[in-house]
Amino acid sequence: MSGAGSFKKWITSRKVQQVLIVIGFSLIPVALLMIFTYIPFGEMVKFSFYKMKYTTPVQNRQYVGLRNYMDVFRRKDCFGALKLSLFYMVGALVQLVLALYLATILSFKVKGGNFFKGVMFFPYLISGIAIGFIFKFFFTRGFVLDTVLQWCGFNLADLPYWLKDQRVNNWSLVFTSVWRYFGQNMVLFIGAIMSVDSELYEAASLDGANKMQQFRYIILPSIKTIVTLNIILSITGSLSAFEPPYVITDGANGTGTYFVIMNRIAHTSQKVGLASAMAIVLLLIIFICTILQKLFFKYVFRDADSEDESYKAKKARLKAEKAAKKAAAAGGAK
């Protein structure tokens, strides 16, 4: 009885109850992650070493070792699709610069600022498939874009085929991605900039800092975490671009990105092993890019903490001066 009583006392203790509640609430999410993420990922890694189709029986799968991984870099369509990511990376950098510029302006009191924030964020709320159809119509020969350019004095015969001409078609698709996602980046930047203490600007103004210097030494160091996050998300997103080329051009005329080619190899050609190897290679590339970006921004913002502390010291000095003035005013009034 003493043993049963001590166990009951132990199991009903507050600390054990907390542990049981944590385990109970964690059990379902962990199980879902295992079933729908980690186990399928492990199967995909295993498939990448085989030559197989979806319907190939287990006993008939041909083990090919690293051949699928070598084919990713040897096949012109696979490796060429990786090169297309450079277009989207350039677009991602333009998108971030534009988003940061507009966020800096709209973070302060601007007439109609809330309206512009809503207008610029709205494209992000639209489905990627719907945006694909919108821009497919927009870029079609003789339709919206060509009509607007003709109003501006351009001759239709002199205009390129925006979705067929390989000199411009990938830039057209990149523009679609920039138009859709820069509003999301802008809102994240606005939230970060608005969290900066306004007294830091006052301290900087007392030292004669202009708007550009305030941006460089106050805003940018203060939002370095969001800047790093946005760049990592944008660069990794550019490596996995799928919706614009798939919906607008179906990867035709040299617009097939890595995901479009991988989808075609997996579901049209039924080369499951090669498609799995492509997915693993992309994961490794994204992982390496993320690490390099983190190291790069750690180097870029290496002096940010000291600069931030400097302005905090100026802020404290400003508060002390205000308190002294109030005290002097109160003493004079007496």
Side-chain angles (χ1 to χ4, degrees):
M1 289 296 293
S2 59
S6 61
F7 176 77
K8 184 178 180 181
K9 185 178 180 181
W10 174 79
I11 200 71
T12 55
S13 65
R14 181 179 178 83
K15 191 172 182 179
V16 174
Q17 289 292 313
Q18 288 176 340
V19 172
L20 291 176
I21 289 172
V22 169
I23 293 173
F25 278 98
S26 302
L27 216 55
I28 294 176
V30 170
L32 291 173
L33 276 173
M34 290 296 296
I35 294 170
F36 295 106
T37 304
Y38 297 120
I39 293 176
F41 176 75
E43 288 295 306
M44 184 179 69
V45 173
K46 184 175 72 174
F47 292 162
S48 68
F49 296 104
Y50 288 88
K51 182 180 180 181
M52 54 175 285
K53 295 183 178 181
Y54 285 111
T55 55
T56 303
V58 176
Q59 63 272 17
N60 293 336
R61 293 174 183 172
Q62 182 183 350
Y63 180 78
V64 294
L66 296 175
R67 189 186 303 170
N68 287 326
Y69 289 94
M70 291 187 287
D71 285 344
V72 173
F73 298 96
R74 286 189 299 204
R75 286 177 56 124
K76 188 177 179 180
D77 54 350
C78 298
F79 191 67
L82 275 177
K83 293 179 183 178
L84 284 185
S85 300
L86 296 175
F87 286 93
Y88 291 87
M89 286 184 185
V90 172
L93 295 177
V94 172
Q95 165 187 312
L96 287 168
V97 171
L98 182 62
L100 184 56
Y101 174 73
L102 292 173
T104 305
I105 294 174
L106 295 174
S107 295
F108 302 97
K109 290 183 179 179
V110 178
K111 191 174 182 180
N114 290 330
F115 171 76
F116 284 110
K117 290 176 190 176
V119 168
M120 294 172 188
F121 184 69
F122 179 72
Y124 181 70
L125 303 176
I126 306 174
S127 165
I129 304 297
I131 287 178
F133 284 117
I134 290 170
F135 277 93
K136 188 172 185 176
F137 180 79
F138 180 79
F139 287 120
T140 299
R141 184 69 165 181
F143 281 77
V144 180
L145 180 58
D146 287 345
T147 302
V148 172
L149 290 175
Q150 286 180 85
W151 291 345
C152 297
F154 289 91
N155 190 346
L156 181 62
D158 297 329
L159 296 175
Y161 285 82
W162 302 104
L163 299 178
K164 291 183 179 180
D165 191 337
Q166 295 192 19
R167 295 172 300 174
V168 296
N169 56 3
N170 282 302
W171 292 118
S172 300
L173 297 177
V174 168
F175 169 79
T176 304
S177 293
V178 171
W179 181 81
R180 182 186 180 192
Y181 289 107
F182 96 93
Q184 177 204 22
N185 296 136
M186 186 194 70
V187 168
L188 290 174
F189 283 138
I190 288 174
I193 292 171
M194 292 183 72
S195 66
V196 179
D197 195 335
S198 60
E199 291 189 7
L200 292 176
Y201 302 119
E202 190 175 349
S205 297
L206 289 176
D207 288 341
N210 57 32
K211 294 296 182 182
M212 188 63 193
Q213 290 171 327
Q214 289 180 22
F215 174 80
R216 180 180 176 184
Y217 295 108
I218 297 178
I219 294 177
L220 202 55
S222 299
I223 65 170
K224 59 182 182 291
T225 304
I226 297 299
V227 170
T228 305
L229 174 65
N230 268 341
I231 291 182
I232 288 174
L233 291 176
S234 297
I235 297 299
T236 54
S238 66
L239 288 168
S240 55
F242 177 71
E243 288 173 343
Y246 181 74
V247 177
I248 299 175
T249 63
D250 196 24
N253 303 309
T255 59
T257 57
Y258 196 77
F259 259 47
V260 172
I261 300 300
M262 184 167 60
N263 174 71
R264 190 178 298 163
I265 288 173
H267 300 121
T268 304
S269 303
Q270 290 281 306
K271 295 180 179 180
V272 178
L274 177 58
S276 299
M278 289 179 70
I280 300 298
V281 168
L282 181 64
L283 176 65
L284 293 175
I285 291 173
I286 290 174
F287 183 68
I288 292 169
C289 287
T290 302
I291 292 175
L292 291 176
Q293 287 173 87
K294 288 183 74 68
L295 292 174
F296 172 75
F297 283 106
K298 187 176 181 181
Y299 174 77
V300 169
F301 291 119
R302 63 190 184 282
D303 298 326
D305 294 332
S306 61
E307 289 167 357
D308 193 38
E309 287 299 320
S310 173
Y311 276 107
K312 284 182 180 178
K314 290 171 185 174
K315 173 186 167 184
R317 174 171 58 80
L318 188 65
K319 281 187 174 181
E321 289 174 358
K322 284 183 178 179
K325 286 179 182 178
K326 285 182 180 179
K334 291 180 181 179

